[in-house]
């Protein structure tokens, strides 16, 4: 056997073994971290109504196209038709198959490129295998796995030479039609690949009059599948565009947000150093599969990038960019290999072995650097806070047990609400799926009336959340009985301290884990039917007075109360010239919060709701009507979840003793006191400044202060 083919085969088997090892190592990690995005259950609800015989609708009798993933929704109907209550396990198993199939297509492409002399091509799979966003979106319950697979299949089919394989353009068209059926914006991929075919094969098709493989075969999926589907869709829903087109204001360009969305992706995943090589390789005179793949993938990436920028990106972690990454990452490695060949040809002349080894070296170095950059970027990709965008870690918390746990919340609502109650919510997926009631989606994704409400193009918000009905009057007019507020379970029932207001009553539900979640009753006629023991209603007898001290009330007995400060109360803080200074490293965006907690035993029967502030840096305020001939007692209500040490300055002089807020492992109220010596006081108004010590491990939550003198 000739030595050069032997070297190439050894490289191939070594590369495939390495790729197989990486995929086998990474798959269990991605599978273990599988999750579900709330929007997946919007599609699942459509699928369930289809199986029930109500049609592909969100609410029976209301044909509104609130999904943008027809093929994925149809697949979700399969397990439901077979009796499954929840299609998620089936869909995630299907996603795992699509994950393997996507990497299988890329592996086949890599081997085909190796056979044509690009020996490093199989290594192109390795950077993708470590890509946090790309792989985690496969296991989200969303349609992204099918979008990714169809994108790779379509680009790969165009890369196959139509002159030698008559089926290639037909296969590309079929894959692209499947992509459009999975997400309508796949039309931009169709346009990009049509341009790629015109670039690569246009002259040949025209010269050879190959109308069958160049026009007729690619047209068949469009005519036989896509056109009938679009005709049915317009007939059934009565609209050329999906309802989400209006709900997400896709008709209004938002270039600034879109550019930021694209730039952060390229920057965080460290793609920018590799992009020049991709564009340079496009113009290098290498022909065949490599050039076709680079042209098809580059034009697809460019089309998706332009579309995403115009659209304004998305609020979910780079969901629109990860599918096309399935062809961009391999293209970057292939481009480096092509340039490596070009450099080797300049240096070593026309010696084939040197050229091939040069290409392998260029591709291998690019794959290694891209893999290193991808791994190194993972922490930032997982945690980086980007305006108008949520990371996967934030998106997954809505279903994680012990956090928002919307599945448990929805099942609790389903158990306590009458079957004929009509609900409204901003979380249109999991909660309406498991709390199976007629639902008004307050963001309008599944409601044509809300979606078509005009928005101010100069006051844009987060994608998909710019329409938001908050008016209870509008909800009542739409027949809503119950509003399922933002489902954020609390350790206490907020309803106990919230009296009914303007015909709306806040009610809490106890979850199985002991936490509580709230909803608002808009229809009083439903009230007598809410009898479940898990429901908690307003009861002013169970709430203690907020302006009274409880644990250390004896400290105020016999003293004159000269002033009091209600922390977190805007009017009272203004009266006391309150001001907070938060340092740049403060672990919060705002310090204000409200809680309903319980005092330590034996006062654990005392419960009250109060507003307060968490002071990480410093705060200052004025105390009025002070006498300077006696000490001043400062009594403060605190939350023991804090535990900080502070210096108190009075009129620019420090109180000798620090203010210490004790920490305890559970959320309990408490009260602490500190005596301010009369030597630091002056008659009338005194300026107090509380400064957290830098060596303090914790900070304090302060809610109410009393100032008294003998």
């Amino acid at each position: 056997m000739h030595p050069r083919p032997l070297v190439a085969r050894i490289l191939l088997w070594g590369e495939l073994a390495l790729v197989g090892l990486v995929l086998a190592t990474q798959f269990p990690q991605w599978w273990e971290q599988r999750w579900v995005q709330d929007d997946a259950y919007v599609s699942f609800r459509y699928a369930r109504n289809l199986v029930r015989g109500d049609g592909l609708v969100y609410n029976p009798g209301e044909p509104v196209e609130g999904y943008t993933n027809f093929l994925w929704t149809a697949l979700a109907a399969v397990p439901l038709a077979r009796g499954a209550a929840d299609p998620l396990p089936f869909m995630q198993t299907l996603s795992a198959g699509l994950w393997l199939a996507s990497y299988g297509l890329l592996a086949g492409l890599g081997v085909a490129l190796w056979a044509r002399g690009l020996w490093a091509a199989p290594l192109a799979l390795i950077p993708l295998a470590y890509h946090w966003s790309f792989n985690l979106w496969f296991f989200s319950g969303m349609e992204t796995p099918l979008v990714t697979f169809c994108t790779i299949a379509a680009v790969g089919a165009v890369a196959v030479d139509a002159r030698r394989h008559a089926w290639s353009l037909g296969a590309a068209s079929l894959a692209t039609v499947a992509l459009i059926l999975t997400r309508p914006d796949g039309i931009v991929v169709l346009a990009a690949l049509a341009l790629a075919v015109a670039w690569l094969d246009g002259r040949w098709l025209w010269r050879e009059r190959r109308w069958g493989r160049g026009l007729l075969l690619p047209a068949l999926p469009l005519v036989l599948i896509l056109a009938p589907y679009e005709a049915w869709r317009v007939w059934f829903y009565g609209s050329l565009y999906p309802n989400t087109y209006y709900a997400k204001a896709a008709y209004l360009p938002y270039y600034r947000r879109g550019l930021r969305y694209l730039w952060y992706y390229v920057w965080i995943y460290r793609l920018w150093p590799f992009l020049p090589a991709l564009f340079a390789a496009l113009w290098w005179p290498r022909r065949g599969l490599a050039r076709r793949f680079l042209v098809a993938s580059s034009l697809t990436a460019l089309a998706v990038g332009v579309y995403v920028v115009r659209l304004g990106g998305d609020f979910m972690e780079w969901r629109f960019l990860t599918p096309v990454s399935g062809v961009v990452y391999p293209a970057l490695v292939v481009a480096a290999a092509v340039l490596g060949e070009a450099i080797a040809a300049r240096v070593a002349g026309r010696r084939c072995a040197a050229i091939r080894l040069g290409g392998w070296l260029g591709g291998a170095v690019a794959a290694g650097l891209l893999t290193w950059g991808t791994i190194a970027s993972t922490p930032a990709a997982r945690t980086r806070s980007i305006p108008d965008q949520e990371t996967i870690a934030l998106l997954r918390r809505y279903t994680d047990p012990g956090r928002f746990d919307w599945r448990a919340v929805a099942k609790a609502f389903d158990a306590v609400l009458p079957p004929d109650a009509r609900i409204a919510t901003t979380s249109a997926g999991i909660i309406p799926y498991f709390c199976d009631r007629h639902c008004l989606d307050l963001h309008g994704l599944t409601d044509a009336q809300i979606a078509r409400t005009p928005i101010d193009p100069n006051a844009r918000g987060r994608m998909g959340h710019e329409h938001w009905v908050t008016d209870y009057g509008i909800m009542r007019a739409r027949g809503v009985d119950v509003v399922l507020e933002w489902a954020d379970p609390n350790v206490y029932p907020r309803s106990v301290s919230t009296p009914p207001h303007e015909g709306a009553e806040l009610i809490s539900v106890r979850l199985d884990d002991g936490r509580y979640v709230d909803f608002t009753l808009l229809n009083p006629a439903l009230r007598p039917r809410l009898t479940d023991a898990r429901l908690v209603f307003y009861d002013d007898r169970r709430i203690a007075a907020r302006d009274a001290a409880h644990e250390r009330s004896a400290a105020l007995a016999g003293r004159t109360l000269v002033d009091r400060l209600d922390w977190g109360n805007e009017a009272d803080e203004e009266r006391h010239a309150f001001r907070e200074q938060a340092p740049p490293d403060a672990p919060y965006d705002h310090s204000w919060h409200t809680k309903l907690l319980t005092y330590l035993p034996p006062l654990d029967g005392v419960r009250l709701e109060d507003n307060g502030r968490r002071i990480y840096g410093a705060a200052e305020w004025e105390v009025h009507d002070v006498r300077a001939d006696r000490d001043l007692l400062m009594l403060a209500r605190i939350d023991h979840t804090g535990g900080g040490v502070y210096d108190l300055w009075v009129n620019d002089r420090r109180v000798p003793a620090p203010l210490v807020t004790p920490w305890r492992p559970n959320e309990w109220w408490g009260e602490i006191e500190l005596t301010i010596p009369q030597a630091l006081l002056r008659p009338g108004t005194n300026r107090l400044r509380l400064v957290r010590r830098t060596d303090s491990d914790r900070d304090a939550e302060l809610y109410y202060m009393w100032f008294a003198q003998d």
Side-chain angles (χ1 to χ4, degrees):
M1 182 177 289
H2 200 275
R4 289 196 294 273
L6 178 60
V7 170
R9 292 181 184 223
I10 291 174
L11 284 175
L12 174 63
W13 289 111
E15 290 169 352
L16 291 179
L18 178 60
V19 169
L21 177 63
V22 169
L23 293 177
T25 302
Q26 291 301 113
F27 176 78
Q29 299 182 41
W30 302 129
W31 178 253
E32 185 179 358
Q33 296 184 72
R34 63 190 183 278
W35 61 293
V36 60
Q37 158 61 16
D38 180 64
D39 286 20
Y41 278 91
V42 174
S43 301
F44 296 168
R45 181 173 163 114
Y46 273 90
R48 185 175 61 188
N49 283 330
L50 176 65
V51 171
R52 287 175 172 174
D54 295 319
L56 208 54
V57 295
Y58 188 75
N59 291 314
E62 299 178 5
V64 178
E65 191 179 7
Y67 61 91
T68 49
N69 51 9
F70 169 78
L71 196 53
W72 191 251
T73 301
L75 289 170
V78 173
L80 294 169
R82 297 175 62 184
D86 185 353
L88 181 62
F90 174 87
M91 302 306 286
Q92 289 187 327
T93 302
L94 175 62
S95 298
L98 290 167
W99 186 89
L100 292 170
S102 298
Y103 279 104
L105 286 178
L106 293 175
L109 178 64
V111 172
L113 287 165
W114 166 87
R116 288 159 177 79
L118 283 179
W119 295 347
L123 297 175
L125 279 70
I126 295 178
L128 268 181
Y130 290 99
H131 195 294
W132 163 264
S133 304
F134 178 80
N135 291 285
L136 256 294
W137 273 113
F138 268 90
F139 303 103
S140 64
M142 299 283 282
E143 73 279 357
T144 313
L146 190 54
V147 174
T148 304
F149 174 80
C150 292
T151 301
I152 294 172
V155 170
V158 169
V160 174
D161 195 341
R163 308 177 197 196
R164 299 173 56 192
H165 304 280
W167 53 266
S168 65
L169 297 184
S173 176
L174 183 62
T176 309
V177 166
L179 175 61
I180 295 172
L181 292 180
T182 306
R183 277 201 65 85
D185 41 24
I187 192 72
V188 302
V189 176
L190 174 64
L193 293 181
L195 181 59
V197 170
W199 183 350
L200 296 167
D201 299 319
R203 290 184 181 180
W204 175 76
L205 291 170
W206 177 264
R207 186 175 62 250
E208 300 293 329
R209 301 293 193 268
R210 300 288 183 149
W211 309 128
R213 71 177 67 181
L215 291 177
L216 181 58
L217 190 59
L220 286 178
L222 298 172
V223 173
L224 299 180
I225 301 175
L226 186 61
Y229 162 75
E230 292 293 344
W232 166 82
R233 189 181 62 79
V234 172
W235 167 79
F236 185 74
Y237 294 113
S239 174
L240 181 62
Y241 297 106
N243 193 64
T244 52
Y245 172 82
Y246 302 98
K248 296 183 178 182
Y251 49 86
L252 291 176
Y254 200 167
Y255 295 107
R256 178 168 56 86
R257 187 176 65 189
L259 283 170
R260 183 175 61 209
Y261 177 86
L262 180 61
W263 167 247
Y264 270 116
Y265 181 74
V266 172
W267 177 260
I268 286 179
Y269 274 107
R270 309 182 187 194
L271 293 175
W272 56 273
F274 300 93
L275 294 178
L278 176 59
F279 294 115
L282 283 175
W283 305 106
W284 200 257
R286 196 186 208 284
R287 302 297 175 185
L289 182 61
R291 177 171 175 76
R292 297 181 66 87
F293 174 65
L294 290 177
V295 169
S297 57
S298 299
L299 289 178
T300 299
L302 181 62
V304 170
V306 171
Y307 168 75
V308 166
V309 168
R310 183 202 174 277
L311 184 66
D314 187 35
F315 78 93
M316 304 181 204
E317 181 186 312
W318 298 308
R319 178 172 62 111
F320 290 160
L321 295 176
T322 51
V324 78
S325 298
V327 294
V328 169
Y329 271 68
L332 295 175
V333 176
V334 170
V338 169
L339 293 181
E341 283 189 348
I343 294 172
R346 294 271 182 132
V347 174
R350 297 191 175 184
R351 287 182 293 173
C352 183
I355 293 174
R356 295 292 179 260
L357 289 175
W360 179 86
L361 184 62
V365 169
L369 291 175
L370 197 55
T371 300
W372 170 83
T374 303
I375 295 173
S377 66
T378 298
R382 296 179 63 171
T383 61
R384 181 71 177 268
S385 177
I386 297 173
D388 299 319
Q389 185 174 324
E390 288 190 54
T391 63
I392 288 174
L394 290 176
L395 293 169
R396 73 182 304 161
R397 62 185 170 155
Y398 302 125
T399 55
D400 282 353
R403 303 180 76 185
F404 286 88
D405 200 1
W406 283 353
R407 186 179 280 103
V409 168
K411 291 180 178 179
F413 284 145
D414 186 61
V416 303
L417 294 177
D420 58 344
R422 296 168 67 96
I423 65 174
T425 184
T426 57
S427 310
I430 292 171
I431 290 178
Y433 184 88
F434 289 103
C435 180
D436 189 8
R437 308 288 191 280
H438 184 284
C439 179
L440 178 64
D441 172 11
L442 297 176
H443 285 311
L445 291 174
T446 62
D447 185 85
Q449 182 176 331
I450 297 173
R452 285 165 173 77
T453 303
I455 64 172
D456 184 356
N458 299 314
R460 300 295 302 275
R462 192 169 74 159
M463 171 69 72
H465 297 74
E466 294 170 292
H467 295 92
W468 192 338
V469 174
T470 58
D471 189 316
Y472 287 164
I474 295 176
M475 296 181 204
R476 286 193 180 95
R478 297 291 303 272
V480 173
D481 299 312
V482 171
V483 182
L484 306 182
E485 310 285 4
W486 178 252
D488 183 4
N490 296 296
V491 296
Y492 58 88
R494 291 178 57 239
S495 60
V496 170
S497 61
T498 307
H501 180 66
E502 296 182 355
E505 181 180 3
L506 190 70
I507 302 173
S508 300
V509 184
R510 187 181 70 253
L511 303 178
D512 290 342
D513 63 4
R515 295 183 298 167
Y516 295 85
V517 71
D518 311 311
F519 66 87
T520 300
L521 179 66
L522 299 185
N523 181 6
L526 209 63
R527 179 67 157 77
R529 300 170 62 189
L530 300 177
T531 58
D532 195 283
R534 287 167 287 188
L535 295 172
V536 181
F537 303 93
Y538 173 67
D539 186 355
D540 58 356
R541 296 169 300 175
R542 298 172 60 184
I543 303 299
R546 182 166 51 98
D547 58 356
H550 296 277
E551 184 183 16
R552 302 200 180 194
S553 57
L556 298 178
R559 288 188 169 95
T560 300
L561 188 66
V562 298
D563 204 355
R564 65 181 76 194
L565 170 61
D566 187 359
W567 289 60
N569 182 294
E570 184 177 354
D572 204 44
E573 288 184 344
E574 184 176 351
R575 187 173 68 86
H576 289 85
F578 179 90
R579 187 173 60 180
E580 179 192 358
Q581 294 90 36
D585 61 340
Y588 48 74
D589 295 326
H590 63 85
S591 67
W592 183 93
H593 54 282
T594 182
K595 287 185 178 179
L596 177 63
L597 297 177
T598 306
Y599 273 85
L600 284 166
L603 297 177
D604 47 329
V606 178
R607 310 190 77 185
L608 59 85
E609 187 176 55
D610 202 356
N611 304 322
R613 290 187 180 275
R614 175 183 175 187
I615 303 301
Y616 190 77
E620 58 182 84
W621 64 94
E622 293 177 350
V623 178
H624 308 296
D625 302 325
V626 175
R627 296 178 58 177
D629 59 350
R630 59 200 63 193
D631 295 343
L632 177 68
L633 174 70
M634 183 177 78
L635 183 67
R637 177 183 293 135
I638 65 166
D639 177 0
H640 283 300
T641 54
V645 180
Y646 293 79
D647 288 319
L648 181 66
W649 296 74
V650 180
N651 302 320
D652 297 325
R653 291 184 293 174
R654 188 173 65 181
V655 176
L659 180 73
V660 180
T661 60
W663 173 83
R664 288 180 174 83
N666 296 314
E667 291 196 336
W668 296 96
W669 291 97
E671 290 163 6
I672 58 174
E673 57 185 89
L674 182 67
T675 298
I676 301 173
Q678 66 183 58
L680 304 180
L681 301 174
R682 59 191 178 199
T685 299
N686 288 253
R687 188 72 183 171
L688 276 62
R689 178 174 173 81
L690 194 66
V691 181
R692 175 177 170 268
R693 290 186 178 179
T694 56
D695 59 351
S696 179
D697 293 334
R698 293 175 175 267
D699 49 35
E701 295 181 5
L702 300 160
Y703 291 84
Y704 209 100
M705 283 185 173
W706 297 264
F707 301 92
Q709 293 181 304
D710 292 330

